[in-house]
Amino acid sequence: MSIRHILFDLDGTLLPMVQDEFVRFYMPLLAKAYMEKGVPIDPKTFIGSVWAGYEAMVKNDGSRTNREAFWSYIDRELPTSAEESERIALSFYGDAFNQAVCTTRPAPVADQIVKAAREKGLETYLATNPVFPRCATLNRIRWAGLDAEDFRVITTYEDCVYCKPNPKYFQAILDQFDLDPSECLMVGNDVEEDLSIRSLGVKTYLVTDTMENKKNLPVESEYVGTLAELLDFVKLL
């Protein structure tokens, strides 16, 4: 095995969390941010619209950025312009969003894993599902105790035109850096989203600490283990 490149998921992987707990906590805070700016919304309806905007990103066909897919949908749902809506959202993600760290379980081993990979001469990439603005992703990187500078790329909704589990999301990273799939390893916790890269010939390591498998799909991964075991695995590469 000659692994030269490791793609890491963030939420639930390098930043241990239960996704549903995280979302249930921060979504009402996002709705509150809009109401505090005087936008007349019903919180429940608003959260439903945000979820639908998320689905618009997941279904993105590559013709526009995920940011454009999200806001073009939300623009029809909110009683304010997309520009003003995004300003409110970015202000939230830069500030009040940080309260959601309480729903995560940061583990020092995450940074140790990335540092160990880099010490071995491996290239590291943060292949987090690009459904958040960059400022929100940088905050979650900070919660996890990671250094953003350790990653050749950090995928966010501003730059990407596909989402997980679409293999085209992963293909775009491989193409951007001219990576040989046989020299890559994807590390993630979501059976549907992260293991879809296997269709491109990339091996996977499924992290079990907070594994997600909502559709009860068959687990097909070359490697399976905890974050602690992943650290030992990386040191042996």
Side-chain angles (χ1 to χ4, degrees):
M1 178 179 62
S2 58
I3 298 299
R4 297 179 55 202
H5 308 274
I6 304 183
L7 288 68
F8 289 100
D9 175 57
L10 179 60
D11 300 330
T13 303
L14 292 181
L15 177 59
M17 66 163 70
V18 175
Q19 194 83 19
D20 287 347
E21 294 175 6
F22 168 64
V23 172
R24 279 200 303 269
F25 184 88
Y26 93 79
M27 282 280 201
L29 290 180
L30 179 59
K32 180 182 176 185
Y34 277 79
M35 290 187 288
E36 287 178 344
K37 291 295 184 180
V39 180
I41 59 167
D42 170 70
K44 188 174 181 180
T45 303
F46 171 82
I47 290 172
S49 297
V50 172
W51 271 115
Y54 166 81
E55 287 298 324
M57 290 189 284
V58 171
K59 294 174 181 175
N60 196 1
D61 61 3
S63 61
R64 54 187 174 173
T65 64
N66 291 340
R67 171 180 173 266
E68 290 166 339
F70 179 81
W71 289 110
S72 64
Y73 177 86
I74 290 292
D75 191 33
R76 303 192 301 268
E77 301 292 311
L78 296 181
T80 183
S81 69
E83 291 77 18
E84 176 62 17
S85 294
E86 187 171 25
R87 276 195 292 271
I88 295 170
L90 292 178
S91 177
F92 165 78
Y93 283 120
D95 186 9
F97 177 62
N98 287 310
Q99 296 174 49
V101 68
C102 71
T103 67
T104 69
R105 306 161 193 174
V109 70
D111 186 54
Q112 294 168 19
I113 290 165
V114 177
K115 294 288 196 293
R118 290 172 57 80
E119 286 169 8
K120 299 281 289 190
L122 307 177
E123 297 283 5
T124 51
Y125 309 75
L126 197 66
T128 179
N129 211 7
V131 296
F132 281 102
R134 186 171 182 83
C135 63
T137 301
L138 289 175
N139 273 329
R140 297 188 337 277
I141 290 169
R142 184 173 52 79
W143 301 352
L146 304 170
D147 294 322
E149 297 77 18
D150 282 341
F151 302 101
R152 288 187 78 186
V153 71
I154 297 168
T155 54
T156 65
Y157 88 159
E158 291 95 341
D159 304 316
C160 294
V161 297
Y162 298 108
C163 288
K164 301 176 188 179
N166 190 338
K168 290 181 179 179
Y169 158 75
F170 294 110
Q171 187 66 58
I173 298 174
L174 300 183
D175 290 346
Q176 181 180 351
F177 296 98
D178 194 24
L179 306 184
D180 179 343
S182 69
E183 297 179 340
C184 297
L185 177 73
M186 174 68 203
V187 174
N189 73 307
D190 192 297
V191 172
E192 179 184 20
E193 292 189 353
D194 298 317
L195 302 191
S196 65
I197 196 173
R198 296 180 76 247
S199 66
L200 303 178
V202 174
K203 294 181 176 66
T204 56
Y205 189 113
L206 181 66
V207 174
T208 57
D209 299 61
T210 49
M211 188 180 81
E212 298 268 359
N213 190 8
K214 292 179 180 177
K215 295 183 179 178
N216 200 29
L217 298 171
V219 175
E220 298 178 354
S221 180
E222 283 75 15
Y223 311 101
V224 179
T226 64
L227 279 176
E229 289 168 334
L230 174 60
L231 177 59
D232 292 335
F233 177 88
V234 169
K235 287 180 176 178
L236 292 174
L237 289 176

